[in-house]
């Protein structure tokens, strides 16, 4: 039977360590990390994520500055706000919650955030630094996945890793991070043929396709380590990942559950990036 990777517990340990770093920043430099969160519109899931991010900041002693803007906010107004925050010394991280309303060109917004405050790691400059192996900020969800992988004791070096999903937020940066750890990486997506055969060769699988229980347990190589980023709803409304967990568990060495796997790590890595940003700032 495989090990169930306890994302909640690993996140708790990482946050305890971060608290110590925040205390040191405060004691030695008088700096309190600050995160600005911008929410445009009233997308219910986004409101929920933003609430969770702010609560996590409050629990850690990180200042959070919420900017809630109406859905009809113009691109220019949003750009002006980002420009202001780029120059505010108390703000070490800026996060624009996505998705944005359709009339706003999201790429232009991401490019307006100062790269040294880009705690999501989505600015093309930061994407480029990640690609050349010199990241300033690592995107939060794939970084959390890497930490979960590390917690199992598996070293990705020389391993076959299959990432399923090519989003800018998870799949692509995950592939780059595994490559930086010296894994041999295959990036699969919705057009990939023979997905089951590719997964069967993998020592490490990261699933981020957003399709409920699409990856079946019998596809895995015995002893593989599986990180499931999926957050899907079954027909009965219950939450599940991209992997058929109950089928996979007896076959694999370790697997993350949904919920309680990757979810708790994403915000933890955002907090860590904010602390890193604060640590780099010149006071
Ligand atoms: N929407 C879904 N995931 C994310 C994320 O990691 N960052 C931001 N800014 N928006 C998101």
């Amino acid at each position: 039977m495989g090990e169930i990777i306890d994302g909640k517990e690993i996140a708790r340990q990482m946050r305890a360590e971060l608290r110590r770093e925040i205390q040191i920043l405060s004691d030695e430099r008088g700096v309190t990390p600050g995160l600005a969160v911008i929410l445009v519109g009233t997308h219910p899931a986004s409101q929920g994520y933003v609430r969770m991010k702010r609560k996590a900041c409050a629990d850690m002693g990180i200042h959070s500055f919420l900017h809630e803007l109406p859905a009809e906010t113009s691109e220019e107004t949003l750009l002006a706000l980002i420009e202001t925050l780029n120059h505010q010394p108390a703000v070490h991280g800026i996060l624009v919650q996505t998705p944005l309303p359709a009339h706003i060109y999201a790429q232009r917004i991401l490019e307006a955030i100062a790269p040294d405050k880009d705690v999501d790691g989505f600015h093309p400059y930061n994407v480029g630094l990640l690609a050349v192996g010199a990241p300033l900020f690592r995107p939060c969800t794939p970084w959390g996945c890497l930490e979960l992988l590390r917690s199992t004791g598996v070293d990705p070096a020389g391993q076959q890793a299959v990432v399923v999903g090519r989003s800018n937020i998870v799949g692509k940066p995950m592939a780059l991070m595994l490559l930086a750890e010296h894994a041999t990486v295959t990036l699969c997506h919705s057009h990939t043929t023979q997905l089951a055969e590719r997964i069967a060769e993998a020592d490490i699988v990261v699933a981020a396709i957003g399709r409920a229980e699409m990856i079946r347990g019998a596809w895995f190589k015995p002893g593989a380590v599986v990180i499931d980023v999926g957050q899907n709803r079954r027909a009965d409304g219950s939450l599940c990942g991209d992997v058929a967990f109950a089928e996979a568990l007896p076959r694999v060495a370790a697997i993350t559950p949904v919920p309680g796997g990757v979810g708790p790590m994403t915000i933890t890595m955002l907090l860590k990036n904010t602390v890193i940003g604060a640590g780099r700032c010149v006071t």
Side-chain angles (χ1 to χ4, degrees):
M1 191 61 81
E3 173 204 346
I4 298 177
I5 302 169
D6 187 346
K8 265 195 203 164
E9 173 56 21
I10 295 161
R12 193 193 61 73
Q13 290 169 13
M14 290 195 73
R15 289 185 195 199
E17 171 59 29
L18 261 183
R19 271 199 192 87
R20 285 190 282 275
E21 289 177 32
I22 291 167
Q23 191 62 49
I24 291 168
L25 268 177
S26 168
D27 291 348
E28 294 184 357
R29 299 193 21 214
V31 171
T32 302
L35 175 68
V37 179
I38 304 176
L39 176 62
V40 186
T42 56
H43 192 272
S46 292
Q47 285 176 323
Y49 288 135
V50 165
R51 230 187 343 265
M52 280 163 53
K53 287 169 186 175
R54 296 197 75 218
K55 182 178 177 307
C57 284
D59 288 347
M60 297 294 295
I62 293 175
H63 286 151
S64 76
F65 309 95
L66 175 63
H67 297 268
E68 279 184 295
L69 305 175
E72 59 276 11
T73 299
S74 70
E75 206 169 282
E76 273 58 42
T77 303
L78 184 51
L79 289 169
L81 171 59
I82 291 170
E83 188 54 20
T84 305
L85 297 171
N86 281 345
H87 292 99
Q88 273 181 8
V91 171
H92 306 102
I94 301 171
L95 181 145
V96 181
Q97 187 65 35
T98 60
L100 287 165
H103 68 276
I104 295 177
Y105 182 42
Q107 192 60 30
R108 191 168 171 219
I109 300 304
L110 298 181
E111 290 181 22
I113 297 171
D116 62 350
K117 296 191 178 187
D118 173 35
V119 283
D120 263 331
F122 296 162
H123 190 290
Y125 178 78
N126 283 325
V127 175
L129 285 181
L130 184 69
V132 298
L136 199 55
F137 290 112
R138 292 170 175 85
C140 304
T141 300
W143 194 14
C145 293
L146 198 60
E147 291 298 326
L148 291 176
L149 194 59
R150 282 212 181 100
S151 78
T152 67
V154 166
D155 178 3
Q159 305 273 299
Q160 295 280 343
V162 165
V163 178
V164 190
R166 56 174 159 179
S167 70
N168 291 335
I169 294 182
V170 185
K172 283 184 210 165
M174 186 77 255
L176 289 171
M177 283 184 208
L178 286 165
L179 196 57
E181 298 290 327
H182 314 292
T184 301
V185 182
T186 305
L187 182 49
C188 300
H189 47 78
S190 56
H191 290 236
T192 297
T193 58
Q194 298 177 310
L195 182 62
E197 285 79 356
R198 290 170 203 273
I199 286 175
E201 292 175 355
D203 305 302
I204 296 164
V205 177
V206 180
I209 28 169
R211 288 219 232 145
E213 298 175 325
M214 187 210 151
I215 300 177
R216 310 311 307 185
W219 297 4
F220 293 106
K221 177 168 158 178
V225 177
V226 181
I227 308 291
D228 189 350
V229 185
Q231 299 272 345
N232 313 295
R233 296 269 167 205
R234 293 194 191 89
D236 66 4
S238 60
L239 198 62
C240 68
D242 293 345
V243 176
F245 179 85
E247 289 176 14
L249 185 60
R251 196 172 171 88
V252 300
I255 181 169
T256 58
V258 177
V262 175
M265 293 299 285
T266 296
I267 293 183
T268 303
M269 305 326 284
L270 172 69
L271 301 170
K272 191 165 170 72
N273 270 342
T274 305
V275 173
I276 289 172
R280 271 198 211 113
C281 77
V282 182
T283 49

